[in-house]
Amino acid sequence: MAIQHKYIVGNWKMNHSKKSIREFFEQLTTPAHPNIQRWIAAQALHLDLCQGLAPQDVKIGAQNSSWEKNGAFTGEISADALFEAGHHFVILGHSERRTIFHESDATISKKLQVALASGLHVILCVGETLEEQGAGQTEQILSLQLQSSLGHISAKNAERLLIAYEPVWAIGTGKTATAEMAQATHHYIRTSMNKIGLHAAVIPILYGGSVKPDNIASLLACPDINGALVGGASLKAQDYSKLCSAQ
Ligand code: PGA
């Protein structure tokens, strides 16, 4: 079955307070376009609050989870605990985790296995840096990131997998890949996933990096772009609502 919806995933990163979250949901009064799924990734401490305040259709998720199921791992976030608490998804492999927290492809691969086994949906982020893009290595980097994380997942678990293509040079910089560039890269990602043995036609691929209300429509119009992972523009209810009414 083809992908039915477009996904607008807000990545709030380490932002918001209990007060501003209350205000966000009070102001989120415009219903989403019927074809759009609204997902929001909040800080771990805010997940339950979001779950309580969000409209029914909004799915709440985390921004990280551990590669271990449980045990003596002080400070880690357990995927099983997230799932048990009723949260829907986790973002893994975000470039901030890769760069600032030194997460390797091997670590991300372990996290992915454990999170999928817990029952969570997983958004796996991939993307090249400015230097890698400049050196013409985008496809090589993406292949490596995809292969190392997705080589071992079962077809059943892949039903809960989404990919986010986020060129690192476009995150928080105001620079976006043009819709044509993004479409070409998404197509490459889909082809690569097929080669790995996954049924890529049913795996949503989201674009991320400076997505805003004024560029969302051209991105969503591309056949291989199934939604967006949005940082800055997801923090205000008005902007997030605009993103979720685009088609
Ligand atoms: P941005 O962040 O929309 O602020 O560029 C995207 C992300 O990091 O997921």
Side-chain angles (χ1 to χ4, degrees):
M1 198 166 59
I3 298 162
Q4 306 282 330
H5 297 102
K6 303 275 185 187
Y7 298 78
I8 303 293
V9 183
N11 175 12
W12 282 356
K13 308 191 181 185
M14 203 168 71
N15 293 300
H16 271 314
S17 62
K18 286 185 173 184
K19 180 169 178 285
S20 65
I21 288 174
R22 282 207 176 81
E23 285 162 4
F24 179 95
F25 286 116
E26 272 161 25
Q27 291 164 11
L28 194 70
T29 48
T30 320
H33 185 287
N35 204 26
I36 283 190
Q37 291 227 358
R38 301 192 283 188
W39 292 19
I40 287 177
Q43 296 189 56
L45 266 177
H46 291 155
L47 292 173
D48 288 348
L49 177 69
C50 290
Q51 192 80 31
L53 294 173
Q56 274 237 308
D57 69 291
V58 176
K59 300 210 164 33
I60 303 298
Q63 301 167 11
N64 183 31
S65 61
S66 178
W67 66 84
E68 293 287 352
K69 250 181 94 61
N70 59 288
F73 302 100
T74 303
E76 282 293 89
I77 301 169
S78 136
D80 282 351
L82 288 170
F83 186 72
E84 185 190 33
H87 305 309
H88 187 67
F89 72 100
V90 62
I91 297 174
L92 293 177
H94 190 280
S95 68
E96 287 151 20
R97 301 292 319 170
R98 292 177 188 264
T99 314
I100 306 169
F101 301 99
H102 309 294
E103 288 187 9
S104 64
D105 281 329
T107 306
I108 294 160
S109 169
K110 283 201 271 177
K111 289 184 172 202
L112 185 92
Q113 301 284 346
V114 170
L116 286 174
S118 77
L120 289 169
H121 287 65
V122 174
I123 301 177
L124 171 70
C125 300
V126 294
E128 81 287 0
T129 64
L130 188 60
E131 296 74 56
E132 289 160 350
Q133 192 212 30
Q137 293 171 341
T138 300
E139 294 192 348
Q140 191 188 326
I141 294 294
L142 293 174
S143 284
L144 210 70
Q145 291 174 341
L146 291 167
Q147 202 133 34
S148 59
S149 296
L150 303 180
H152 312 289
I153 69 170
S154 67
K156 189 85 197 120
N157 279 349
E159 288 172 8
R160 280 179 283 108
L161 175 70
L162 301 86
I163 303 293
Y165 168 57
E166 298 203 305
V168 180
W169 47 269
I171 296 177
T173 59
K175 291 184 196 151
T176 340
T178 61
E180 292 72 27
M181 278 163 76
Q183 163 57 28
T185 310
H186 279 226
H187 186 71
Y188 176 78
I189 290 172
R190 210 176 292 285
T191 312
S192 302
M193 288 199 290
N194 277 329
K195 282 194 192 141
I196 294 169
L198 295 167
H199 183 24
V202 299
I203 299 177
I205 307 175
L206 321 183
Y207 174 78
S210 297
V211 173
K212 303 271 183 289
D214 62 6
N215 59 19
I216 184 82
S218 61
L219 290 162
L220 293 188
C222 300
D224 283 301
I225 300 184
N226 309 112
L229 179 58
V230 189
S234 71
L235 288 169
K236 291 205 181 100
Q238 276 156 335
D239 288 342
Y240 185 66
S241 292
K242 280 188 200 152
L243 293 168
C244 295
S245 32
Q247 263 294 288

